[in-house]
Amino acid sequence: MESSEYVDSTGEEEAGESTALALKILVAGGFGVGKTTLVGAVSEIRPLRTEELLSEAGEAVDETGGVDQKSTTTVAMDFGRITIRSGLSLYLFGTPGQDRFWFLWDELSQGALGAVVLADTRRLEDCFPAVDYFEHRRIPFVVAVNCFPGARTYAEEDVSRALDLDRGTPVVLCDARDRASGKEVLIRVVEYAGRMHTARLLESVGQAAGSA
């Protein structure tokens, strides 16, 4: 099976239409940036969440600066599903944000078409690990700036420069609480990842033809 797509073989039907193709998308970013919120806002099924209360034991290892009001944390993943159009659905896997759970990322990223890296301009440095992770593994991603109330607004170009993104990596503004806004982010991911995978396929075909 191609790593960029999952085929739903369950024969499940939603609203009288069978789902022919499902793509896997990761939702990543720093602690408290809105990953669980985004998955929950766009999911058309009741999202699976693995949140636990923050404990005193975790205070020594978890960086909670800037999100002092947050009382829970994702310890495995969030899972949701959204239908983009007839015959195409996205399976969403929200990654845990703390360093101590990053060993789960390799498992979650298997077979992913692309990813969303959520960013908070008040703590922009928190999304550097996710950006590095996807760049090194050549997984196409979009940076989605979650516009928190009271946070300073920056132009997309400014965020791109601050994160030192590879040329062409999309940066979009969003509200993780709003379903329509989240869906637009996911559409951008699918479109961008599709272009990247196509370009790489054509490049590999060209290299093979040149060496023949």
Side-chain angles (χ1 to χ4, degrees), residues 34-121:
K35 300 180 295 295
T36 299
T37 300
L38 176 64
V39 173
V42 301
S43 181
E44 61 197 14
I45 62 173
R46 183 176 181 180
L48 169 65
R49 294 173 174 168
T50 56
E51 287 195 311
E52 296 291 343
L53 291 173
L54 291 172
S55 64
E56 293 183 4
E59 290 180 358
V61 292
D62 293 334
E63 175 55 55
T64 59
V67 285
D68 302 332
Q69 302 303 313
K70 187 171 173 60
S71 61
T72 62
T73 182
T74 298
V75 296
M77 68 173 184
D78 298 311
F79 174 77
R81 186 188 70 201
I82 179 173
T83 301
I84 297 298
R85 59 172 172 77
S86 177
L88 175 61
S89 293
L90 303 182
Y91 286 101
L92 309 176
F93 291 79
T95 65
Q98 298 101 308
D99 298 9
R100 58 193 171 109
F101 295 123
W102 282 352
F103 68 92
L104 295 170
W105 285 36
D106 287 339
E107 287 294 327
L108 292 176
S109 65
Q110 291 295 318
L113 173 77
V116 176
V117 175
L118 273 175
D120 178 354
T121 56

Side-chain angles (χ1 to χ4, degrees), residues 114-137:
V116 176
V117 175
L118 273 175
D120 178 354
T121 56
R122 301 169 300 179
R123 300 177 291 118
L124 200 57
E125 67 279 1
D126 288 359
C127 69
F128 273 113
V131 168
D132 290 341
Y133 182 91
F134 296 126
E135 284 184 344
H136 290 160
R137 287 160 180 78

Side-chain angles (χ1 to χ4, degrees), residues 4 9 70 74 93 127 135 139 142 146 154 174 185 196 208 212:
S4 63
S9 60
K70 187 171 173 60
T74 298
F93 291 79
C127 69
E135 284 184 344
I139 297 175
V142 167
N146 192 7
Y154 292 87
C174 75
V185 170
M196 292 295 292

